[in-house]
């Protein structure tokens, strides 16, 4: 419904992880998995859908194309980016599913028609179990407690700030000048 409310141009959809991105793709686009001789739960029950169309079909109907950020190397990234830009320019729209902190969320300018909407799904908190994250949180807490370092955020506050920083970075892809 949100995508339908954006009449023209591209729409960026950011998710917190590649795992969630793949799950959404699998559930929303059952045809791609059927082509690979795999049937998803959703394709088995498509008769129960209201209008018989998958989410993917509806997004394609609204925006002409749906692209998923690749996990491969630079060449596949450039190819997906160019396909998105071409679809927006030549067909009038496109939906791009990408990941916070991924290549599509940092350093690319999606100004003007290239991003008329940005949808952020979930909070992109870094893995709390990753060693660098745990060490940084513990370091901040220790420095504040033992050395009275008030210039450092408490560990949990720093951890939460990383999510908001990733959201701001993703939202910044479409705000490139005063006219955006």
């Amino acid at each position: 419904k949100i995508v339908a409310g954006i009449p023209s141009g591209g729409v960026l959809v950011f998710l917190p992880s590649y795992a969630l991105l793949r799950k959404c793709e699998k559930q929303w686009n059952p045809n791609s998995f059927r082509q690979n001789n795999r049937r998803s739960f959703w394709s088995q029950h498509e008769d129960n859908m209201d209008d018989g169309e998958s989410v993917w079909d509806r997004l394609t109907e609204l925006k002409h194309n749906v692209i998923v950020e690749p996990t491969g190397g630079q060449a596949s990234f450039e190819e997906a980016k160019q396909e998105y830009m071409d679809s927006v320019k030549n067909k009038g729209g496109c939906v791009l599913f990408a990941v916070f902190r991924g290549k599509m969320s940092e350093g690319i300018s999606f100004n003007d028609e290239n991003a008329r909407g940005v949808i952020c799904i979930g909070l992109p908190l870094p893995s709390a179990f990753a060693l660098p994250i745990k060490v940084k949180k513990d370091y901040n807490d220790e420095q504040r407690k033992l050395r009275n370092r008030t210039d450092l955020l408490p560990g949990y506050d720093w951890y939460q700030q990383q999510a908001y920083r990733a959201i701001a970075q993703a939202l910044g892809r479409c705000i490139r000048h005063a006219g955006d």
Side-chain angles (χ1 to χ4, degrees):
K1 290 180 180 182
I2 294 170
V3 172
I6 302 168
S8 66
V11 178
L12 306 173
V13 181
F14 291 102
L15 294 114
S17 68
Y18 284 106
L20 181 59
L21 177 64
R22 297 297 171 238
K23 275 185 177 180
C24 290
E25 180 184 11
K26 185 176 182 178
Q27 291 183 350
W28 294 341
N29 188 9
N31 295 331
S32 73
F33 290 89
R34 198 176 308 138
Q35 290 169 357
N36 296 327
N37 295 325
R38 294 182 288 176
R39 287 183 53 99
S40 72
F41 171 82
W42 299 100
S43 66
Q44 295 170 15
H45 298 284
E46 65 187 15
D47 296 337
N48 295 336
M49 294 179 137
D50 293 342
D51 58 6
E53 287 184 314
S54 69
V55 172
W56 206 267
D57 292 338
R58 292 190 302 254
L59 289 173
T60 303
E61 187 177 304
L62 288 167
K63 291 295 178 182
H64 312 291
N65 197 4
V66 180
I67 297 170
V68 176
E69 178 179 16
T71 56
Q74 189 67 24
S76 61
F77 161 74
E78 291 294 337
E79 185 179 312
K81 181 177 107 177
Q82 194 58 51
E83 182 182 354
Y84 174 81
M85 299 292 195
D86 291 346
S87 183
V88 170
K89 183 179 179 182
N90 300 326
K91 297 178 181 179
C94 191
V95 176
L96 173 66
F97 285 98
V99 173
F100 292 106
R101 293 187 196 87
K103 289 181 183 178
M104 294 288 187
S105 72
E106 299 185 7
I108 298 175
S109 179
F110 289 107
N111 58 317
D112 301 324
E113 287 296 312
N114 290 318
R116 287 296 175 206
V118 178
I119 300 169
C120 296
I121 299 173
L123 282 176
L125 291 164
S127 172
F129 303 107
L131 185 60
I133 301 300
K134 186 171 177 11
V135 168
K136 175 62 176 166
K137 285 172 58 178
D138 291 346
Y139 173 81
N140 279 20
D141 288 340
E142 179 184 284
Q143 291 296 310
R144 287 180 60 83
K145 185 177 182 178
L146 298 178
R147 302 191 201 260
N148 205 21
R149 297 258 325 255
T150 57
D151 60 322
L152 292 174
L153 287 173
Y156 187 73
D157 291 349
W158 172 85
Y159 176 71
Q160 285 186 319
Q161 184 186 52
Q162 300 313 300
Y164 297 118
R165 183 174 288 149
I167 291 170
Q169 189 72 16
L171 291 173
R173 297 310 88 218
C174 68
I175 304 169
R176 307 311 277 181
H177 56 76
D180 280 338

